[in-house]
Amino acid sequence: MEKLTVVGSGIMGRGIAYVAALGGFQVTLNDVSKENLDKAKLYLETEMTKSADKGFLTREQASKALQRMEYTTSLEEAAGDTDVVIEAVFELMELKVDIFKKLDKICPEHTILATNTSTMSPTEIAAQTSRPEKCIAMHFFNPVHKMKLIEIVRGLETSDETMAKAKEIGKKLGKETVEVNEFPGFVTSRMNCLIGNEAMNLLMEGVASAEDIDKAMKLGLNHPMGPLALADLVGLDTRLRNMEYLYKTLGEKYRPCPLLIKYVKAGRLGRKSGQGFYTYES
């Protein structure tokens, strides 16, 4: 496996492209928006340079990684000759299914189709293709270049060969992997969404301030980041979509906190909008 395509150039997509290029893959980053691709290209060039300046990479490593990157708005051009595709678009089932249907027609027979999802069913997505045995979920974590884990989720028809190759890809990207049998929310999202949602309920009920809730979790339970700050980082709209999916599939304990719904309606989406549970400078 030498060629890797990433569909979606947002926070997760460009992060996956970053580690894939450093891992030695020939990477093509695809997005329907030329503007988004240009932003992703600038981000990748800037982050590579920063990492080299700080000594995390050599200048040669950064330069070679950037040389392995290509950018295109054409899905046919991006995926027509690739070994693995990692889709990293919004957590909307209809959108993911539409992309997988297109990829199934475009990609060579051997190509593995992976979805970077924190909650969605790889079985449901794979069922819309002619290669369900080659479909899998690879759940990356934000920020991708810093987080060590990929949660690899086996769908109902995912073959052992595809699972083995997904683990091989993870290793090439410098990540640890865990194997999960599909169930809504997998392992990490089920736990993380519960913790975050309860933190939001605590804030709504006036039990403590956002700062003190997060401080309690960091210092009392040794979490590296407070759950409210983490929700802001993920994006409150993304978190709400995850909660709504888990509420639909797993029941009452995943009912989204009313405060989360209110913030999203108000456009307070976290870091990307400049305001969520905290206020951020642009």
Side-chain angles (χ1 to χ4, degrees), residues 113-130:
L113 305 181
T115 176
N116 171 53
T117 179
S118 56
T119 56
M120 300 291 176
S121 165
T123 298
E124 184 175 349
I125 297 169
Q128 309 305 314
T129 76
S130 63

Side-chain angles (χ1 to χ4, degrees), residues 16-260:
I16 295 167
Y18 180 100
V19 297
L22 281 176
F25 284 100
Q26 293 293 329
V27 180
T28 301
L29 185 57
N30 166 259
D31 199 293
V32 293
S33 167
K34 177 66 163 56
E35 181 183 359
N36 288 346
L37 276 180
D38 289 341
K39 289 179 180 178
K41 183 178 181 181
L42 178 61
Y43 168 85
L44 289 164
E45 291 172 349
T46 301
E47 287 303 308
M48 289 284 184
T49 301
K50 285 182 180 178
S51 294
D53 289 342
K54 293 177 181 178
F56 298 125
L57 304 173
T58 66
R59 301 222 174 257
E60 183 180 9
Q61 285 175 316
S63 176
K64 286 185 176 180
L66 289 173
Q67 290 173 19
R68 285 191 283 266
M69 287 292 312
E70 294 182 0
Y71 307 84
T72 180
T73 57
S74 168
L75 192 61
E76 289 80 5
E77 184 179 326
D81 180 25
T82 192
D83 299 312
V84 58
V85 179
I86 301 177
E87 163 271 308
V89 302
F90 292 123
E91 290 282 77
L92 297 171
M93 180 60 76
E94 296 81 6
L95 178 58
K96 290 179 180 290
V97 165
D98 180 62
I99 290 171
F100 266 65
K101 284 181 177 179
K102 292 175 180 176
L103 289 171
D104 188 38
K105 295 177 181 178
I106 294 169
C107 294
E109 289 184 7
H110 74 277
T111 304
I112 291 174
L113 305 181
T115 176
N116 171 53
T117 179
S118 56
T119 56
M120 300 291 176
S121 165
T123 298
E124 184 175 349
I125 297 169
Q128 309 305 314
T129 76
S130 63
R131 63 180 89 193
E133 74 285 354
K134 289 185 171 65
C135 296
I136 201 163
M138 296 181 70
H139 177 204
F140 290 78
F141 296 81
N142 187 28
V144 178
H145 65 292
K146 292 183 179 180
M147 301 299 283
K148 299 176 181 178
L149 182 69
I150 303 174
E151 195 175 23
I152 301 179
V153 185
R154 181 195 290 267
L156 181 63
E157 304 291 343
T158 303
S159 69
D160 290 342
E161 181 183 4
T162 298
M163 175 60 73
K165 287 184 177 180
K167 290 180 178 179
E168 182 183 335
I169 293 165
K171 185 176 181 180
K172 193 171 180 179
L173 300 184
K175 305 298 184 185
E176 295 287 337
T177 61
V178 292
E179 180 177 341
V180 179
N181 291 315
E182 181 192 331
F183 204 80
F186 316 143
V187 173
T188 56
S189 293
R190 284 183 68 174
M191 296 299 296
N192 194 38
C193 283
L194 276 179
I195 293 169
N197 207 51
E198 190 58 26
M200 295 172 200
N201 284 324
L202 290 169
L203 180 63
M204 182 180 68
E205 294 162 8
V207 175
S209 67
E211 291 82 0
D212 282 347
I213 292 169
D214 279 355
K215 185 177 181 180
M217 295 298 289
K218 288 192 292 182
L219 301 184
L221 297 180
N222 206 28
H223 286 207
M225 178 181 285
L228 298 175
L230 178 58
D232 274 356
L233 178 64
V234 169
L236 300 190
D237 52 340
T238 299
R239 177 58 61 86
L240 179 57
R241 284 193 293 269
N242 290 344
M243 291 300 305
E244 288 173 338
Y245 179 78
L246 292 174
Y247 176 49
K248 177 182 176 182
T249 54
L250 296 178
E252 185 64 28
K253 64 182 176 181
Y254 288 96
R255 179 188 292 272
C257 174
L259 187 60
L260 173 61

